[in-house]
Amino acid sequence: MPRRCKYCGKPAIIHLRYANLSLCEEHFKQYYENRIRKILEKHKVRGDILVAVSGGKDSMSLLYALKRLSLMMDINPYAFHINLGIGEYSEMSESIVRSFSRDIRITLILYNIKEELGFTIPEIVMSTKRPPCAVCGIIKRWIINKVAYESGFEYVATGHNIDDASTYFLKALMTQDIYSILRGQHEFLQPKMEVRLVGRIRPQFYLSERENMLYAQLNNIPVVERPCPYSASAPIHRYKAAWDTLLDINPISQINLTRTLLRLGRMINIKEPELRACKICGYPTESRDSICAFCRLLRKTTTNR
Ligand code: SF4
Ligand code: ZN
Ligand code: ZN
């Protein structure tokens, strides 16, 4: 027998196994936006929010949901996109983010790393000989924090989801990375403006890629179809694929693993690392020599030239 929506009895378009919940189109959209709203309310995030948008389904859905929620909540989302200079992939991403932000009337802040920093991701990957996603992650985190801080934002929202958080933990468990397990992945990180660190909110933390994709499809949200050419080589994607089997056995296993390890982190309560100002760029770092990961990377580039 076809499943029916729990709230109105219409034919369901999705069955969320982790919640044993069937929903029609309208109630799925409501459920999705409510989950996002609750995280913002729980952490009292209000006012201007800079939303980091890559052009993928997660961040584009987040931007759209925040725009809709801004009609009923005291939030004001701005889109932020970094053109990473990864050939056609970056050109397509920028163009989709540009047109979508214009269509839904959201101010877009664009950052082109070739113009601002003088190199593209492929160029810096070549000269540092480090894994592309590790390099790209360091650069993106630094840029997002710097731009948000300099533009006066207290919070940045990113499209991290439960697939990302649970895969981070799975990888940390598989590689005995105890420090990463205890530090965790969080739905919210407080701003520390005194050390130039902007707060982080991940409103889709307990939503899955599948839910983000469905929300994008139902709202005709355009997304970059082509993956980043570096994504296939990232080990994290292979760990992600392992979840298909585990979720088949236990549909709530991703959420349970994430919650368990976050709880464990709170029980052990490791001391928060002290943040110092990087002596090169002035942005915060945990490093004892007061040189942040971004500036260390740039230094490596110049020595390798
Ligand atoms: Fe950057 Fe890797 Fe993502 Fe490509 S897949 S955008 S290189 S983090
Ligand atoms: Zn319904
Ligand atoms: Zn620095």
Side-chain angles (χ1 to χ4, degrees):
M1 210 169 78
R3 292 183 193 272
R4 303 243 152 217
C5 173
K6 181 187 168 180
Y7 298 108
C8 68
K10 283 189 196 157
I13 58 152
I14 189 169
H15 178 66
L16 302 171
R17 284 183 67 215
Y18 69 85
N20 193 21
L21 183 64
S22 298
L23 296 168
C24 68
E25 176 171 341
E26 185 196 334
H27 283 111
F28 170 72
K29 287 180 186 168
Q30 242 178 56
Y31 167 86
Y32 183 94
E33 289 164 11
N34 269 341
R35 301 269 314 261
I36 290 184
R37 179 179 53 78
K38 279 185 185 156
I39 292 217
L40 296 172
E41 285 176 352
K42 178 174 160 194
H43 298 290
K44 301 186 174 57
V45 173
R46 300 189 190 97
D48 295 344
I49 305 172
L50 191 65
V51 188
V53 190
S54 66
K57 60 187 177 318
D58 304 315
S59 55
M60 293 288 267
S61 293
L62 176 62
L63 186 67
Y64 185 76
L66 291 177
K67 173 69 186 184
R68 282 185 43 85
L69 288 168
S70 70
L71 305 175
M72 59 186 97
M73 295 176 74
D74 176 21
I75 56 166
N76 187 20
Y78 288 73
F80 178 55
H81 178 74
I82 307 174
N83 184 319
L84 300 164
I86 309 179
E88 220 178 305
Y89 164 74
S90 288
E91 292 320 308
M92 282 169 63
S93 305
E94 181 182 319
S95 137
I96 281 184
V97 173
R98 253 184 204 279
S99 57
F100 186 57
S101 307
R102 195 181 48 233
D103 291 350
I104 63 170
R105 296 203 175 87
I106 281 202
T107 305
L108 169 66
I109 302 173
L110 265 175
Y111 187 102
N112 183 308
I113 74 161
K114 181 72 178 175
E115 286 163 20
E116 301 282 344
L117 301 175
F119 54 77
T120 63
I121 291 294
E123 284 165 2
I124 195 159
V125 165
M126 286 273 279
S127 66
T128 55
K129 299 187 176 53
R130 289 193 52 193
C133 295
V135 170
C136 184
I138 290 172
I139 295 174
K140 282 192 294 196
R141 274 192 295 279
W142 184 86
I143 295 172
I144 290 172
N145 184 60
K146 177 181 155 74
V147 171
Y149 179 81
E150 289 178 358
S151 316
F153 288 89
E154 210 177 342
Y155 295 103
V156 171
T158 57
H160 286 83
N161 54 53
I162 192 65
D163 297 86
D164 299 320
S166 60
T167 304
Y168 162 94
F169 279 125
L170 188 64
K171 179 168 176 263
L173 283 168
M174 300 287 183
T175 53
Q176 296 194 49
D177 185 356
I178 294 171
Y179 186 67
S180 293
I181 294 170
L182 296 181
R183 280 204 77 183
Q185 285 270 297
H186 297 276
E187 64 192 44
F188 177 69
L189 290 171
Q190 284 282 2
K192 293 182 180 152
M193 301 310 261
E194 66 289 0
V195 288
R196 298 174 155 208
L197 187 65
V198 171
R200 291 294 172 112
I201 181 87
R202 294 169 172 168
Q204 295 152 310
F205 197 75
Y206 287 108
L207 287 163
S208 64
E209 284 182 2
R210 176 177 168 241
E211 289 163 281
N212 294 343
M213 176 57 95
L214 180 62
Y215 184 79
Q217 285 167 351
L218 295 176
N219 289 295
N220 297 317
I221 298 169
V223 298
V224 188
E225 301 290 350
R226 150 192 308 220
C228 168
Y230 290 121
S231 66
S233 61
I236 199 81
H237 292 282
R238 307 236 290 279
Y239 282 101
K240 224 174 217 183
W243 277 113
D244 292 342
T245 312
L246 295 171
L247 284 170
D248 206 36
I249 302 166
N250 176 359
I252 200 165
S253 54
Q254 281 189 320
I255 295 175
N256 281 350
L257 180 97
T258 303
R259 290 213 158 115
T260 304
L261 294 178
L262 285 173
R263 201 172 302 151
L264 186 71
R266 282 196 296 274
M267 281 161 73
I268 295 178
N269 193 18
I270 54 165
K271 206 170 146 246
E272 267 204 45
E274 193 188 322
L275 290 175
R276 309 172 172 84
C278 169
K279 56 189 178 198
I280 301 175
C281 69
Y283 282 92
T285 176
E286 294 169 10
S287 153
R288 289 222 175 99
D289 63 3
S290 300
I291 299 181
C292 75
F294 173 80
C295 292
R296 197 184 308 278
L297 192 71
L298 290 203
R299 220 161 58 166
K300 199 163 176 224
T301 321
T302 35
T303 45
N304 284 355
R305 264 178 194 158

